[in-house]
Amino acid sequence: MNYQSFFRAELTRLRDEGNYRVFADLERERGAFPNATNHVGDAVRQVTIWCSNDYLGMGQHPGVLAAMHEALDKVGAGAGGTRNISGTTHHHVLLERELADLHGKEDALLFTSGYVSNWAALGTLASKIPNCLVLSDALNHASMIEGIRHSKAERQIWTHNDLTDLEARLAAQPLERPKLIAFESVYSMDGDIAPIREICDLADKYNAMTYIDEVHAVGMYGPRGGGIAEREGLMDRITVIEGTLGKAFGVVGGYIAGSAEVCDFIRSFSSGFIFTTALPPAVAAGACASIRHLKTSSAERVGQQARVAQVRARLDAAGIPHIDNPSHIIPVVIPPETKGMRK
C-alpha cells in the first residue's frame, strides 16, 4: 500500500465534500475581547471572533491573569509529572476543593480536558462496575460516546430527552442490575436542556446512577455558576457532575465532582488520569481564580444573557431563522440548498 497516496486521496475526498477544515491563525488581544489579529500568510487583519466559547470573557479577566502570573513566577511552568508521581501540586488540590464546593460534592478530580474527563470517567465506571448497562442520550457529546465505547459495557441509546423511552429501557432491566444514565444539561448543537429532575426521578425508581455533562452550563447558570443542576436545586441528586475549565471559566482542563468514593475510584482505576502529565499549576491557579470570581459575581452571567437576547432579536429583525431554545446557544437554521457548502 502506498500510504502517502492514501492520505492524499482521503484529504481530496474531504475537500470535495466540503468538509475539509481550514484553521484561522488568530492572536487574541488581551483586554479587547473578542477582538483578534488574523494572520493570513504574511498579511494581518483585525477581526472579531464570533464563535468563541470563552462565554464570559474570563480568559481575559485581570484576576485570572494575575493568578496565573503569580503561580508561574512562584512554581514554574510545568507540574513536574503525572499526579501519581510528582505532579500533584497544591494548586491542583486547591482547585479540586473549589470545584467540589461549587457543585456541593464531597470531592472533585481534575483532568487535562473536558474530553478526557468524559472519556476517562465514563470508561472507568462502565468497565469496572460488573454487568453495568449504560443508557446514553442520543445527542451526547463525542467524548461521552467514546468513553462508553471504550468501556465495552452494554449500552443502549435512548431517544433524545425522551423520558418515555428512557423509562421503558430502565423498566426492562432487573432492578438490581447496575445502570448508568449518561446525559448533558445543555446540548451544544440545538441548545435544548435536559429534564434533569425527571431523569433523577427515574434513576431513583429504577436503581440507576446519573452522570451529567455540564460543560456548556458551568459558570453560566445557577446563583454561583454551578450549572443547570444548581439552578434547579438538583446537584445532590446527581451521582457524577462533569464539567470543563475551558469554556465559561476561560482556561483549559476538565473535571468530575461527586462523592469521595466515586472520585477516589476513578482516580485509582482510570488510565486517562493515571498515565498523563498533570495540568500546569498556573492553569489550575487561573481556573481557581475564575471559579471563585464567578461564585460571587453574577454580572458576567447577566451580561452574557443580555447579549444572547440581543443577538436573537437582531436575527429576527434580519429574517434569519434560528432555533428557539431556553439556553444561550443560538443554532441558525441553514437552508437545505446550502448544506455541505464550504462556509
Side-chain angles (χ1 to χ4, degrees), residues 84-162:
N84 288 275
I85 301 174
S86 60
T88 289
T89 75
H90 192 54
H91 290 290
H92 296 130
V93 174
L94 293 176
L95 177 53
E96 287 173 340
R97 289 176 186 169
E98 205 69 47
L99 289 164
D101 175 77
L102 175 67
H103 293 293
K105 296 297 187 183
E106 292 178 337
D107 206 353
L109 189 65
L110 283 172
F111 292 86
T112 51
S113 73
Y115 191 105
V116 172
S117 57
N118 269 334
W119 173 83
L122 282 167
T124 301
L125 289 170
S127 65
K128 291 294 184 181
I129 298 174
N131 196 31
C132 184
L133 170 66
V134 183
L135 297 117
S136 177
D137 185 283
L139 293 189
N140 276 344
H141 189 264
S143 57
M144 302 176 75
I145 294 169
E146 284 301 311
I148 296 165
R149 285 176 177 166
H150 178 73
S151 75
K152 296 184 172 57
E154 182 183 349
R155 60 188 181 274
Q156 294 184 15
I157 313 302
W158 52 286
T159 305
H160 176 56
N161 278 352
D162 188 329

Side-chain angles (χ1 to χ4, degrees), residues 11 67 72 83 126 138 142 145 205 230 238 249 259 299 316 322 330:
L11 289 170
L72 189 63
R83 294 282 299 274
I145 294 169
K205 182 177 179 180
E230 184 197 25
I238 305 292
F249 294 131
S259 68
D316 289 339
H322 56 92
I330 309 176

Side-chain angles (χ1 to χ4, degrees), residues 170-179 203-208:
L170 287 165
Q173 300 297 321
L175 189 63
E176 66 274 11
R177 183 179 186 184
K179 296 171 284 289
D204 291 344
K205 182 177 179 180
Y206 293 102
N207 188 33

Side-chain angles (χ1 to χ4, degrees), residues 12 14-20 22 338-343:
T12 298
L14 203 61
R15 289 187 179 93
D16 291 344
E17 292 172 349
N19 294 323
Y20 182 76
V22 178
T338 65
K339 289 184 178 179
M341 293 176 61
R342 190 171 299 171
K343 305 300 187 293

